[in-house]
PDB file of all heavy atoms in Angstrom:
ATOM      1  N   ARG A  24       0.839  -1.201   0.000  1.00 94.00           N
ATOM      2  CA  ARG A  24       0.000   0.000   0.000  1.00 94.00           C
ATOM      3  C   ARG A  24       0.872   1.249   0.000  1.00 94.00           C
ATOM      4  O   ARG A  24       2.046   1.215   0.401  1.00 94.00           O
ATOM      5  CB  ARG A  24      -0.916   0.010   1.219  1.00 94.00           C
ATOM      6  CG  ARG A  24      -0.195  -0.037   2.560  1.00 94.00           C
ATOM      7  CD  ARG A  24      -1.183   0.026   3.714  1.00 94.00           C
ATOM      8  NE  ARG A  24      -2.116  -1.081   3.690  1.00 94.00           N
ATOM      9  CZ  ARG A  24      -1.864  -2.277   4.215  1.00 94.00           C
ATOM     10  NH1 ARG A  24      -0.705  -2.498   4.826  1.00 94.00           N
ATOM     11  NH2 ARG A  24      -2.746  -3.238   4.149  1.00 94.00           N
ATOM     12  N   VAL A  25       0.277   2.334  -0.438  1.00 97.00           N
ATOM     13  CA  VAL A  25       0.946   3.638  -0.425  1.00 97.00           C
ATOM     14  C   VAL A  25       0.627   4.319   0.897  1.00 97.00           C
ATOM     15  O   VAL A  25      -0.531   4.369   1.319  1.00 97.00           O
ATOM     16  CB  VAL A  25       0.461   4.509  -1.602  1.00 97.00           C
ATOM     17  CG1 VAL A  25       1.087   5.897  -1.541  1.00 97.00           C
ATOM     18  CG2 VAL A  25       0.794   3.824  -2.928  1.00 97.00           C
ATOM     19  N   GLY A  26       1.630   4.822   1.567  1.00 96.00           N
ATOM     20  CA  GLY A  26       1.408   5.477   2.852  1.00 96.00           C
ATOM     21  C   GLY A  26       2.692   5.619   3.635  1.00 96.00           C
ATOM     22  O   GLY A  26       3.711   6.054   3.108  1.00 96.00           O
ATOM     23  N   GLU A  27       2.653   5.215   4.899  1.00 95.00           N
ATOM     24  CA  GLU A  27       3.823   5.233   5.770  1.00 95.00           C
ATOM     25  C   GLU A  27       3.806   3.980   6.635  1.00 95.00           C
ATOM     26  O   GLU A  27       2.756   3.359   6.838  1.00 95.00           O
ATOM     27  CB  GLU A  27       3.816   6.458   6.693  1.00 95.00           C
ATOM     28  CG  GLU A  27       4.154   7.763   6.025  1.00 95.00           C
ATOM     29  CD  GLU A  27       4.326   8.879   7.050  1.00 95.00           C
ATOM     30  OE1 GLU A  27       3.857   8.732   8.205  1.00 95.00           O
ATOM     31  OE2 GLU A  27       4.937   9.897   6.706  1.00 95.00           O
ATOM     32  N   THR A  28       4.969   3.627   7.161  1.00 90.00           N
ATOM     33  CA  THR A  28       5.036   2.480   8.063  1.00 90.00           C
ATOM     34  C   THR A  28       6.219   2.643   9.001  1.00 90.00           C
ATOM     35  O   THR A  28       7.136   3.434   8.747  1.00 90.00           O
ATOM     36  CB  THR A  28       5.177   1.164   7.276  1.00 90.00           C
ATOM     37  OG1 THR A  28       4.961   0.063   8.162  1.00 90.00           O
ATOM     38  CG2 THR A  28       6.551   1.043   6.650  1.00 90.00           C
ATOM     39  N   ASP A  29       6.189   1.887  10.087  1.00 87.00           N
ATOM     40  CA  ASP A  29       7.357   1.808  10.963  1.00 87.00           C
ATOM     41  C   ASP A  29       8.448   1.010  10.254  1.00 87.00           C
ATOM     42  O   ASP A  29       8.170   0.003   9.580  1.00 87.00           O
ATOM     43  CB  ASP A  29       7.008   1.114  12.281  1.00 87.00           C
ATOM     44  CG  ASP A  29       6.117   1.967  13.170  1.00 87.00           C
ATOM     45  OD1 ASP A  29       6.130   3.204  13.027  1.00 87.00           O
ATOM     46  OD2 ASP A  29       5.395   1.386  14.011  1.00 87.00           O
ATOM     47  N   PHE A  30       9.667   1.456  10.433  1.00 85.00           N
ATOM     48  CA  PHE A  30      10.805   0.818   9.795  1.00 85.00           C
ATOM     49  C   PHE A  30      11.909   0.742  10.837  1.00 85.00           C
ATOM     50  O   PHE A  30      12.103   1.686  11.601  1.00 85.00           O
ATOM     51  CB  PHE A  30      11.255   1.651   8.589  1.00 85.00           C
ATOM     52  CG  PHE A  30      11.979   0.875   7.538  1.00 85.00           C
ATOM     53  CD1 PHE A  30      11.362  -0.160   6.859  1.00 85.00           C
ATOM     54  CD2 PHE A  30      13.288   1.195   7.200  1.00 85.00           C
ATOM     55  CE1 PHE A  30      12.030  -0.868   5.870  1.00 85.00           C
ATOM     56  CE2 PHE A  30      13.951   0.502   6.210  1.00 85.00           C
ATOM     57  CZ  PHE A  30      13.329  -0.538   5.543  1.00 85.00           C
ATOM     58  N   TYR A  31      12.610  -0.371  10.864  1.00 82.00           N
ATOM     59  CA  TYR A  31      13.567  -0.608  11.936  1.00 82.00           C
ATOM     60  C   TYR A  31      14.980  -0.701  11.370  1.00 82.00           C
ATOM     61  O   TYR A  31      15.289  -1.606  10.582  1.00 82.00           O
ATOM     62  CB  TYR A  31      13.210  -1.891  12.688  1.00 82.00           C
ATOM     63  CG  TYR A  31      11.862  -1.823  13.350  1.00 82.00           C
ATOM     64  CD1 TYR A  31      10.694  -2.146  12.645  1.00 82.00           C
ATOM     65  CD2 TYR A  31      11.728  -1.405  14.670  1.00 82.00           C
ATOM     66  CE1 TYR A  31       9.452  -2.070  13.243  1.00 82.00           C
ATOM     67  CE2 TYR A  31      10.480  -1.328  15.282  1.00 82.00           C
ATOM     68  CZ  TYR A  31       9.350  -1.656  14.556  1.00 82.00           C
ATOM     69  OH  TYR A  31       8.114  -1.574  15.150  1.00 82.00           O
ATOM     70  N   HIS A  32      15.801   0.251  11.784  1.00 78.00           N
ATOM     71  CA  HIS A  32      17.201   0.248  11.368  1.00 78.00           C
ATOM     72  C   HIS A  32      18.012  -0.477  12.437  1.00 78.00           C
ATOM     73  O   HIS A  32      17.923  -0.155  13.620  1.00 78.00           O
ATOM     74  CB  HIS A  32      17.717   1.672  11.194  1.00 78.00           C
ATOM     75  CG  HIS A  32      19.164   1.731  10.837  1.00 78.00           C
ATOM     76  ND1 HIS A  32      19.626   1.425   9.588  1.00 78.00           N
ATOM     77  CD2 HIS A  32      20.267   2.032  11.582  1.00 78.00           C
ATOM     78  CE1 HIS A  32      20.935   1.550   9.562  1.00 78.00           C
ATOM     79  NE2 HIS A  32      21.357   1.915  10.758  1.00 78.00           N
ATOM     80  N   VAL A  33      18.783  -1.458  12.006  1.00 76.00           N
ATOM     81  CA  VAL A  33      19.550  -2.263  12.946  1.00 76.00           C
ATOM     82  C   VAL A  33      20.828  -1.522  13.331  1.00 76.00           C
ATOM     83  O   VAL A  33      21.656  -1.202  12.487  1.00 76.00           O
ATOM     84  CB  VAL A  33      19.899  -3.633  12.338  1.00 76.00           C
ATOM     85  CG1 VAL A  33      20.649  -4.492  13.361  1.00 76.00           C
ATOM     86  CG2 VAL A  33      18.636  -4.343  11.872  1.00 76.00           C
ATOM     87  N   LYS A  34      20.954  -1.242  14.614  1.00 72.00           N
ATOM     88  CA  LYS A  34      22.147  -0.549  15.105  1.00 72.00           C
ATOM     89  C   LYS A  34      23.376  -1.450  14.942  1.00 72.00           C
ATOM     90  O   LYS A  34      23.286  -2.664  15.009  1.00 72.00           O
ATOM     91  CB  LYS A  34      21.978  -0.182  16.582  1.00 72.00           C
ATOM     92  CG  LYS A  34      20.797   0.741  16.863  1.00 72.00           C
ATOM     93  CD  LYS A  34      20.633   0.975  18.366  1.00 72.00           C
ATOM     94  CE  LYS A  34      19.431   1.847  18.671  1.00 72.00           C
ATOM     95  NZ  LYS A  34      19.217   2.018  20.136  1.00 72.00           N
ATOM     96  N   ASN A  35      24.500  -0.806  14.743  1.00 71.00           N
ATOM     97  CA  ASN A  35      25.763  -1.533  14.591  1.00 71.00           C
ATOM     98  C   ASN A  35      25.761  -2.472  13.396  1.00 71.00           C
ATOM     99  O   ASN A  35      26.563  -3.415  13.331  1.00 71.00           O
ATOM    100  CB  ASN A  35      26.106  -2.321  15.862  1.00 71.00           C
ATOM    101  CG  ASN A  35      26.193  -1.438  17.095  1.00 71.00           C
ATOM    102  OD1 ASN A  35      26.755  -0.344  17.029  1.00 71.00           O
ATOM    103  ND2 ASN A  35      25.629  -1.898  18.201  1.00 71.00           N
ATOM    104  N   ALA A  36      24.838  -2.252  12.470  1.00 64.00           N
ATOM    105  CA  ALA A  36      24.804  -3.040  11.232  1.00 64.00           C
ATOM    106  C   ALA A  36      24.457  -2.088  10.100  1.00 64.00           C
ATOM    107  O   ALA A  36      23.289  -1.971   9.718  1.00 64.00           O
ATOM    108  CB  ALA A  36      23.787  -4.167  11.326  1.00 64.00           C
ATOM    109  N   PRO A  37      25.428  -1.350   9.611  1.00 55.00           N
ATOM    110  CA  PRO A  37      25.174  -0.324   8.604  1.00 55.00           C
ATOM    111  C   PRO A  37      24.358  -0.859   7.433  1.00 55.00           C
ATOM    112  O   PRO A  37      24.612  -1.949   6.930  1.00 55.00           O
ATOM    113  CB  PRO A  37      26.582   0.087   8.162  1.00 55.00           C
ATOM    114  CG  PRO A  37      27.444  -0.245   9.329  1.00 55.00           C
ATOM    115  CD  PRO A  37      26.846  -1.476   9.945  1.00 55.00           C
ATOM    116  N   SER A  38      23.372  -0.097   7.048  1.00 60.00           N
ATOM    117  CA  SER A  38      22.562  -0.368   5.860  1.00 60.00           C
ATOM    118  C   SER A  38      21.687  -1.603   5.992  1.00 60.00           C
ATOM    119  O   SER A  38      21.272  -2.184   4.996  1.00 60.00           O
ATOM    120  CB  SER A  38      23.456  -0.518   4.624  1.00 60.00           C
ATOM    121  OG  SER A  38      24.318   0.581   4.503  1.00 60.00           O
ATOM    122  N   ARG A  39      21.390  -2.022   7.213  1.00 69.00           N
ATOM    123  CA  ARG A  39      20.478  -3.137   7.393  1.00 69.00           C
ATOM    124  C   ARG A  39      19.225  -2.652   8.082  1.00 69.00           C
ATOM    125  O   ARG A  39      19.274  -2.035   9.143  1.00 69.00           O
ATOM    126  CB  ARG A  39      21.132  -4.238   8.239  1.00 69.00           C
ATOM    127  CG  ARG A  39      20.273  -5.499   8.301  1.00 69.00           C
ATOM    128  CD  ARG A  39      20.935  -6.576   9.106  1.00 69.00           C
ATOM    129  NE  ARG A  39      20.084  -7.765   9.156  1.00 69.00           N
ATOM    130  CZ  ARG A  39      20.285  -8.782   9.976  1.00 69.00           C
ATOM    131  NH1 ARG A  39      21.309  -8.766  10.816  1.00 69.00           N
ATOM    132  NH2 ARG A  39      19.473  -9.827   9.973  1.00 69.00           N
ATOM    133  N   SER A  40      18.080  -2.916   7.484  1.00 73.00           N
ATOM    134  CA  SER A  40      16.819  -2.457   8.051  1.00 73.00           C
ATOM    135  C   SER A  40      15.704  -3.390   7.619  1.00 73.00           C
ATOM    136  O   SER A  40      15.838  -4.164   6.681  1.00 73.00           O
ATOM    137  CB  SER A  40      16.532  -1.017   7.621  1.00 73.00           C
ATOM    138  OG  SER A  40      16.645  -0.886   6.212  1.00 73.00           O
ATOM    139  N   THR A  41      14.554  -3.284   8.309  1.00 73.00           N
ATOM    140  CA  THR A  41      13.472  -4.236   8.068  1.00 73.00           C
ATOM    141  C   THR A  41      12.152  -3.681   8.578  1.00 73.00           C
ATOM    142  O   THR A  41      12.126  -2.804   9.447  1.00 73.00           O
ATOM    143  CB  THR A  41      13.771  -5.578   8.768  1.00 73.00           C
ATOM    144  OG1 THR A  41      12.687  -6.486   8.560  1.00 73.00           O
ATOM    145  CG2 THR A  41      13.974  -5.388  10.264  1.00 73.00           C
ATOM    146  N   PHE A  42      11.044  -4.204   8.052  1.00 68.00           N
ATOM    147  CA  PHE A  42       9.726  -3.929   8.606  1.00 68.00           C
ATOM    148  C   PHE A  42       9.531  -4.643   9.942  1.00 68.00           C
ATOM    149  O   PHE A  42       8.735  -4.225  10.765  1.00 68.00           O
ATOM    150  CB  PHE A  42       8.626  -4.440   7.672  1.00 68.00           C
ATOM    151  CG  PHE A  42       8.390  -3.599   6.452  1.00 68.00           C
ATOM    152  CD1 PHE A  42       7.909  -4.178   5.289  1.00 68.00           C
ATOM    153  CD2 PHE A  42       8.618  -2.239   6.457  1.00 68.00           C
ATOM    154  CE1 PHE A  42       7.658  -3.424   4.162  1.00 68.00           C
ATOM    155  CE2 PHE A  42       8.380  -1.468   5.337  1.00 68.00           C
ATOM    156  CZ  PHE A  42       7.903  -2.062   4.183  1.00 68.00           C
ATOM    157  N   TYR A  43      10.244  -5.748  10.113  1.00 64.00           N
ATOM    158  CA  TYR A  43       9.941  -6.679  11.194  1.00 64.00           C
ATOM    159  C   TYR A  43      10.916  -6.501  12.358  1.00 64.00           C
ATOM    160  O   TYR A  43      11.836  -7.296  12.563  1.00 64.00           O
ATOM    161  CB  TYR A  43       9.956  -8.114  10.664  1.00 64.00           C
ATOM    162  CG  TYR A  43       8.890  -8.322   9.602  1.00 64.00           C
ATOM    163  CD1 TYR A  43       9.230  -8.390   8.257  1.00 64.00           C
ATOM    164  CD2 TYR A  43       7.549  -8.416   9.954  1.00 64.00           C
ATOM    165  CE1 TYR A  43       8.248  -8.568   7.277  1.00 64.00           C
ATOM    166  CE2 TYR A  43       6.572  -8.597   8.997  1.00 64.00           C
ATOM    167  CZ  TYR A  43       6.927  -8.664   7.660  1.00 64.00           C
ATOM    168  OH  TYR A  43       5.957  -8.830   6.706  1.00 64.00           O
ATOM    169  N   GLY A  44      10.678  -5.471  13.144  1.00 59.00           N
ATOM    170  CA  GLY A  44      11.549  -5.171  14.262  1.00 59.00           C
ATOM    171  C   GLY A  44      11.524  -6.216  15.353  1.00 59.00           C
ATOM    172  O   GLY A  44      12.463  -6.321  16.148  1.00 59.00           O
ATOM    173  N   LYS A  45      10.455  -7.025  15.408  1.00 64.00           N
ATOM    174  CA  LYS A  45      10.358  -8.019  16.474  1.00 64.00           C
ATOM    175  C   LYS A  45      11.383  -9.145  16.302  1.00 64.00           C
ATOM    176  O   LYS A  45      11.532  -9.980  17.188  1.00 64.00           O
ATOM    177  CB  LYS A  45       8.956  -8.596  16.559  1.00 64.00           C
ATOM    178  CG  LYS A  45       8.499  -9.403  15.345  1.00 64.00           C
ATOM    179  CD  LYS A  45       7.068  -9.885  15.548  1.00 64.00           C
ATOM    180  CE  LYS A  45       6.581 -10.692  14.347  1.00 64.00           C
ATOM    181  NZ  LYS A  45       5.189 -11.154  14.533  1.00 64.00           N
ATOM    182  N   ARG A  46      12.092  -9.146  15.181  1.00 65.00           N
ATOM    183  CA  ARG A  46      13.182 -10.104  15.018  1.00 65.00           C
ATOM    184  C   ARG A  46      14.343  -9.800  15.960  1.00 65.00           C
ATOM    185  O   ARG A  46      15.206 -10.629  16.174  1.00 65.00           O
ATOM    186  CB  ARG A  46      13.705 -10.059  13.574  1.00 65.00           C
ATOM    187  CG  ARG A  46      12.737 -10.481  12.522  1.00 65.00           C
ATOM    188  CD  ARG A  46      13.273 -10.180  11.127  1.00 65.00           C
ATOM    189  NE  ARG A  46      14.541 -10.832  10.876  1.00 65.00           N
ATOM    190  CZ  ARG A  46      15.289 -10.574   9.801  1.00 65.00           C
ATOM    191  NH1 ARG A  46      14.906  -9.656   8.933  1.00 65.00           N
ATOM    192  NH2 ARG A  46      16.430 -11.212   9.619  1.00 65.00           N
ATOM    193  N   PHE A  47      14.372  -8.566  16.493  1.00 64.00           N
ATOM    194  CA  PHE A  47      15.509  -8.111  17.272  1.00 64.00           C
ATOM    195  C   PHE A  47      15.069  -7.637  18.649  1.00 64.00           C
ATOM    196  O   PHE A  47      13.902  -7.334  18.880  1.00 64.00           O
ATOM    197  CB  PHE A  47      16.208  -6.952  16.539  1.00 64.00           C
ATOM    198  CG  PHE A  47      16.638  -7.280  15.145  1.00 64.00           C
ATOM    199  CD1 PHE A  47      15.810  -7.015  14.058  1.00 64.00           C
ATOM    200  CD2 PHE A  47      17.874  -7.863  14.909  1.00 64.00           C
ATOM    201  CE1 PHE A  47      16.203  -7.323  12.759  1.00 64.00           C
ATOM    202  CE2 PHE A  47      18.275  -8.174  13.616  1.00 64.00           C
ATOM    203  CZ  PHE A  47      17.442  -7.914  12.547  1.00 64.00           C
ATOM    204  N   GLN A  48      16.017  -7.545  19.554  1.00 69.00           N
ATOM    205  CA  GLN A  48      15.770  -6.910  20.831  1.00 69.00           C
ATOM    206  C   GLN A  48      15.551  -5.413  20.602  1.00 69.00           C
ATOM    207  O   GLN A  48      16.117  -4.816  19.683  1.00 69.00           O
ATOM    208  CB  GLN A  48      16.969  -7.116  21.770  1.00 69.00           C
ATOM    209  CG  GLN A  48      17.258  -8.566  22.123  1.00 69.00           C
ATOM    210  CD  GLN A  48      16.152  -9.190  22.956  1.00 69.00           C
ATOM    211  OE1 GLN A  48      15.536  -8.521  23.789  1.00 69.00           O
ATOM    212  NE2 GLN A  48      15.910 -10.481  22.737  1.00 69.00           N
ATOM    213  N   GLU A  49      14.709  -4.813  21.445  1.00 69.00           N
ATOM    214  CA  GLU A  49      14.399  -3.395  21.273  1.00 69.00           C
ATOM    215  C   GLU A  49      15.653  -2.530  21.263  1.00 69.00           C
ATOM    216  O   GLU A  49      15.736  -1.546  20.525  1.00 69.00           O
ATOM    217  CB  GLU A  49      13.462  -2.938  22.390  1.00 69.00           C
ATOM    218  CG  GLU A  49      12.937  -1.514  22.210  1.00 69.00           C
ATOM    219  CD  GLU A  49      11.906  -1.155  23.252  1.00 69.00           C
ATOM    220  OE1 GLU A  49      11.388  -2.068  23.925  1.00 69.00           O
ATOM    221  OE2 GLU A  49      11.617   0.050  23.382  1.00 69.00           O
ATOM    222  N   SER A  50      16.642  -2.898  22.062  1.00 72.00           N
ATOM    223  CA  SER A  50      17.875  -2.112  22.135  1.00 72.00           C
ATOM    224  C   SER A  50      18.734  -2.248  20.887  1.00 72.00           C
ATOM    225  O   SER A  50      19.669  -1.459  20.677  1.00 72.00           O
ATOM    226  CB  SER A  50      18.697  -2.548  23.349  1.00 72.00           C
ATOM    227  OG  SER A  50      19.039  -3.923  23.257  1.00 72.00           O
ATOM    228  N   GLU A  51      18.410  -3.216  20.015  1.00 74.00           N
ATOM    229  CA  GLU A  51      19.227  -3.459  18.822  1.00 74.00           C
ATOM    230  C   GLU A  51      18.779  -2.651  17.611  1.00 74.00           C
ATOM    231  O   GLU A  51      19.492  -2.612  16.609  1.00 74.00           O
ATOM    232  CB  GLU A  51      19.180  -4.950  18.458  1.00 74.00           C
ATOM    233  CG  GLU A  51      19.817  -5.861  19.479  1.00 74.00           C
ATOM    234  CD  GLU A  51      19.718  -7.321  19.080  1.00 74.00           C
ATOM    235  OE1 GLU A  51      18.624  -7.759  18.651  1.00 74.00           O
ATOM    236  OE2 GLU A  51      20.733  -8.017  19.198  1.00 74.00           O
ATOM    237  N   VAL A  52      17.597  -2.036  17.692  1.00 77.00           N
ATOM    238  CA  VAL A  52      17.055  -1.353  16.519  1.00 77.00           C
ATOM    239  C   VAL A  52      16.614   0.071  16.853  1.00 77.00           C
ATOM    240  O   VAL A  52      16.302   0.390  18.004  1.00 77.00           O
ATOM    241  CB  VAL A  52      15.853  -2.121  15.917  1.00 77.00           C
ATOM    242  CG1 VAL A  52      16.305  -3.448  15.350  1.00 77.00           C
ATOM    243  CG2 VAL A  52      14.753  -2.308  16.936  1.00 77.00           C
ATOM    244  N   GLU A  53      16.587   0.885  15.815  1.00 82.00           N
ATOM    245  CA  GLU A  53      16.051   2.243  15.913  1.00 82.00           C
ATOM    246  C   GLU A  53      14.820   2.325  15.015  1.00 82.00           C
ATOM    247  O   GLU A  53      14.896   2.026  13.820  1.00 82.00           O
ATOM    248  CB  GLU A  53      17.099   3.265  15.455  1.00 82.00           C
ATOM    249  CG  GLU A  53      16.590   4.674  15.392  1.00 82.00           C
ATOM    250  CD  GLU A  53      17.570   5.624  14.720  1.00 82.00           C
ATOM    251  OE1 GLU A  53      18.632   5.160  14.262  1.00 82.00           O
ATOM    252  OE2 GLU A  53      17.253   6.825  14.643  1.00 82.00           O
ATOM    253  N   LYS A  54      13.681   2.689  15.584  1.00 84.00           N
ATOM    254  CA  LYS A  54      12.443   2.753  14.808  1.00 84.00           C
ATOM    255  C   LYS A  54      12.277   4.130  14.180  1.00 84.00           C
ATOM    256  O   LYS A  54      12.420   5.155  14.847  1.00 84.00           O
ATOM    257  CB  LYS A  54      11.236   2.436  15.693  1.00 84.00           C
ATOM    258  CG  LYS A  54       9.925   2.375  14.920  1.00 84.00           C
ATOM    259  CD  LYS A  54       8.788   1.824  15.758  1.00 84.00           C
ATOM    260  CE  LYS A  54       8.282   2.827  16.757  1.00 84.00           C
ATOM    261  NZ  LYS A  54       7.020   2.378  17.399  1.00 84.00           N
ATOM    262  N   VAL A  55      11.971   4.136  12.900  1.00 86.00           N
ATOM    263  CA  VAL A  55      11.711   5.385  12.177  1.00 86.00           C
ATOM    264  C   VAL A  55      10.449   5.191  11.341  1.00 86.00           C
ATOM    265  O   VAL A  55       9.983   4.062  11.135  1.00 86.00           O
ATOM    266  CB  VAL A  55      12.894   5.777  11.268  1.00 86.00           C
ATOM    267  CG1 VAL A  55      14.140   6.053  12.089  1.00 86.00           C
ATOM    268  CG2 VAL A  55      13.165   4.688  10.224  1.00 86.00           C
TER     269      VAL A  55
END
């Protein structure tokens, strides 16, 4: 769909990000 969504950038892992932040511990990702 066209719109906006939460996106999770993995800290200490340059250029790695995902829709599925629950794959990681909260402290491991930055939500944008």
Side-chain angles (χ1 to χ4, degrees):
R24 59 178 60 85
V25 176
E27 286 188 342
T28 192
D29 289 336
F30 205 62
Y31 298 86
H32 177 75
V33 183
K34 300 176 182 177
N35 303 318
S38 308
R39 187 179 180 192
S40 51
T41 178
F42 284 152
Y43 298 104
K45 65 182 180 180
R46 296 171 58 189
F47 304 93
Q48 297 294 325
E49 187 174 345
S50 60
E51 294 179 315
V52 294
E53 174 190 2
K54 185 170 75 170
V55 297

